[in-house]
């Protein structure tokens, strides 16, 4: 009997598993995220501290500053979320073990292991990109496997065939910059601050997206890989020539709109081609760029299947996606002991949860 609304969760845990509360900790980059997810009732509470202001003046994330701030913020956030959710002792503690900044990851990993030791609870190391991929399952209208996942953030651009929990085939990735990085670098050229993806999207609303013909990289190549460095260079050259002619101020919204159009056209064309090849009726979009309105509108217009997203606040990094991923991966939970922190960790190297693989 399936007592939970989350079909896949029931499958992963066993439908008669007792309800569990999982504490999730996210510290892979520049957001400190904490959440408690209950396998019976769903998300009970979450809190986030963003370091964006700390890094803004450097124009990018400074790893040492990130680690120190996680260290300062994480424990008070855990305290707050446990109080808010009336949780005395969770049944398991999930933390982001990678990929990410090693120093930042070690803060979450260290605290997860410390709490687990104090509470005699198991810990679950979570893959950050698998958590992004599972984030739409926090929503009432959750996707079911198999689906195609487009994971688009500041560090990643991945097109993944998600056959089942833990069985992921990488169809395409970026050969150079991540799409979020391209948004951020273009935003920087337009003096929109860092990270400027959302600000660029807002500025683009006032511009003409046909004003400049920027390249749609890779679209004439076979396969599903992406490349954004040529687009970035084309925008940079255009900004320089507009600046020289004293026209940049007037043309800023047009540059933003034309860049956004080229980047989104590329993402959407590749994603639709992959969905056709895989005969996928569902697409999951997650990661920070998944909050982009034009991406959402274009997929809705051009894809005849269903597209699933997390709510915008769970597109970017957060603790809730780590807590639900930890719930899915409870079979991999282990006694505390190893401080796991991996800078690199290919998504396609994951396996289904231990008990699931043996079924
Ligand atoms: O997933 P995320 O929070 O962090 C990483 O793991 O990288 O994604 C952050 C990225 C940044 O590059 C940011 O500029 C971009 O997502 N972003 C957007 C939008 N909102 C955030 N890009 C385009 N349009 C948006 N609305
Ligand atoms: Zn992320």
């Amino acid at each position: 009997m399936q007592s939970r609304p989350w079909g896949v969760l029931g499958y992963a845990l066993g439908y008669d598993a007792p309800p569990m509360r999982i504490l999730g900790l996210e510290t892979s980059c520049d957001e400190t995220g904490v959440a408690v997810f209950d396998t019976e009732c769903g998300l009970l509470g979450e809190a986030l501290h963003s370091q964006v202001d700390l890094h803004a003046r450097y124009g990018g994330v400074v790893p040492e500053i990130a680690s120190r701030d996680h260290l300062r913020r994480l424990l008070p956030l855990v305290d707050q979320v446990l109080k808010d959710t009336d949780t005395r002792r969770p049944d398991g503690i999930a933390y982001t073990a990678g990929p990410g900044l090693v120093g930042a990851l070690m803060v979450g990993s260290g605290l997860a292991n410390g709490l687990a030791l104090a509470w005699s609870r198991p810990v679950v190391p979570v893959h950050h990109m698998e958590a992004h991929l599972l984030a739409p399952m926090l929503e009432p209208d959750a996707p079911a496997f198999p689906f195609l996942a487009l994971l688009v953030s500041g560090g990643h651009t991945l097109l993944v065939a998600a056959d089942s929990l833990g069985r992921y085939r990488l169809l395409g990735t970026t050969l150079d910059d991540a799409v979020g990085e391209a948004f951020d670098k273009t935003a920087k050229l337009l003096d929109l601050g860092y990270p400027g993806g959302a600000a660029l999207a807002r500025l683009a609303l006032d511009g003409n997206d046909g004003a400049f013909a920027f390249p749609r990289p890779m679209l004439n190549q076979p396969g599903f890989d992406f490349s954004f460095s040529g687009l970035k260079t084309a925008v940079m050259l255009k900004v320089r020539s507009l600046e020289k002619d004293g026209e940049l101020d007037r043309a800023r919204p047009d540059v933003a709109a034309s860049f956004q159009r080229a980047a989104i056209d590329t993402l959407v064309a590749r994603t639709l081609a992959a969905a056709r090849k895989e005969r996928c009726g569902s697409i999951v979009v997650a990661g920070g760029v998944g909050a982009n309105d034009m991406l959402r509108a274009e997929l809705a217009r051009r894809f005849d299947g269903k597209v699933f997203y997390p709510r915008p606040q769970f597109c970017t990094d957060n603790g809730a996606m780590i807590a639900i991923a930890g719930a899915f991966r409870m079979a991999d939970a282990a006694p505390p002991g190893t401080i796991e922190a991996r800078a690199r960790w290919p998504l396609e190297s994951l396996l289904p949860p231990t008990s699931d693989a043996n079924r």
Side-chain angles (χ1 to χ4, degrees):
M1 208 256 313
Q2 182 177 343
S3 59
R4 301 175 179 82
W6 305 278
V8 189
L9 193 55
Y11 176 71
L13 294 172
Y15 291 113
D16 47 4
M20 273 182 284
R21 275 187 188 199
I22 316 295
L23 173 68
L25 310 180
E26 158 61 30
T27 64
S28 68
C29 190
D30 58 348
E31 326 270 356
T32 316
V34 175
V36 171
F37 180 84
D38 182 298
T39 57
E40 198 74 46
C41 308
L43 184 66
L44 298 184
E46 55 104 23
L48 186 84
H49 172 76
S50 171
Q51 303 178 356
V52 160
D53 294 345
L54 279 183
H55 301 290
R57 67 183 163 126
Y58 302 100
V61 177
V62 183
E64 182 61 23
I65 294 179
S67 320
R68 283 168 188 267
D69 200 56
H70 286 308
L71 211 50
R72 226 176 351 249
R73 304 285 179 172
L74 186 58
L75 197 51
L77 277 189
V78 168
D79 228 15
Q80 177 195 327
V81 173
L82 291 180
K83 278 198 190 98
D84 290 351
T85 59
D86 261 332
T87 306
R88 279 197 48 227
R89 241 187 233 206
D91 301 294
I93 302 157
Y95 68 94
T96 308
L101 302 170
V102 168
L105 291 166
M106 282 178 69
V107 177
S109 179
L111 184 66
N113 277 279
L115 291 175
L117 203 60
W119 287 333
S120 304
R121 292 293 189 260
V123 280
V124 194
V126 166
H127 189 291
H128 182 81
M129 298 313 289
E130 181 177 56
H132 271 304
L133 181 145
L134 296 172
M137 304 213 183
L138 289 159
E139 306 305 333
D141 185 17
F145 289 106
F147 52 76
L148 180 72
L150 175 68
L151 304 178
V152 275
S153 69
H156 299 269
T157 310
L158 304 177
L159 206 43
V160 176
D163 295 329
S164 61
L165 184 62
R167 288 191 209 279
Y168 308 123
R169 285 176 291 123
L170 183 66
L171 302 178
T173 185
T174 180
L175 303 178
D176 37 61
D177 293 353
V179 61
E181 203 177 340
F183 267 88
D184 292 340
K185 287 178 176 166
T186 303
K188 205 165 167 180
L189 283 172
L190 297 174
D191 291 327
L192 295 173
Y194 177 86
L200 186 143
R202 276 195 301 278
L203 181 64
L205 291 174
D206 301 328
N208 169 8
D209 64 11
F212 305 110
F214 292 136
R216 271 74 171 147
M218 306 288 286
L219 284 194
N220 51 1
Q221 309 267 337
F224 302 106
D225 283 335
F226 301 92
S227 162
F228 291 101
S229 70
L231 171 59
K232 181 186 68 184
T233 308
V235 174
M236 191 180 70
L237 294 175
K238 177 55 72 183
V239 166
R240 280 198 191 143
S241 90
L242 287 165
E243 207 165 17
K244 207 165 111 238
D245 299 342
E247 291 183 14
L248 182 57
D249 270 348
R250 184 192 53 78
R252 252 179 246 275
D254 290 347
V255 174
S258 303
F259 160 80
Q260 177 174 249
R261 167 59 69 184
I264 299 300
D265 273 356
T266 307
L267 287 180
V268 171
R270 282 303 214 210
T271 305
L272 295 182
R276 268 195 303 277
K277 178 187 167 256
E278 291 291 320
R279 297 173 196 280
C280 258
S282 327
I283 297 175
V284 158
V285 182
V289 184
N292 185 276
D293 287 335
M294 182 184 232
L295 174 62
R296 291 176 175 228
E298 283 298 291
L299 281 173
R301 191 171 69 79
R302 292 171 59 184
F303 182 55
D304 52 14
K306 189 153 182 198
V307 190
F308 296 86
Y309 302 90
R311 70 195 80 165
Q313 87 204 72
F314 295 156
C315 277
T316 45
D317 293 348
N318 64 86
M321 70 182 193
I322 305 303
I324 192 172
F328 280 117
R329 289 245 169 224
M330 270 313 278
D332 294 340
T338 316
I339 310 277
E340 216 179 304
R342 306 189 196 192
R344 287 176 189 281
W345 187 4
L347 180 65
E348 63 279 18
S349 72
L350 292 184
L351 294 171
T354 318
S355 62
D356 202 37
N358 298 335
R359 266 178 209 169

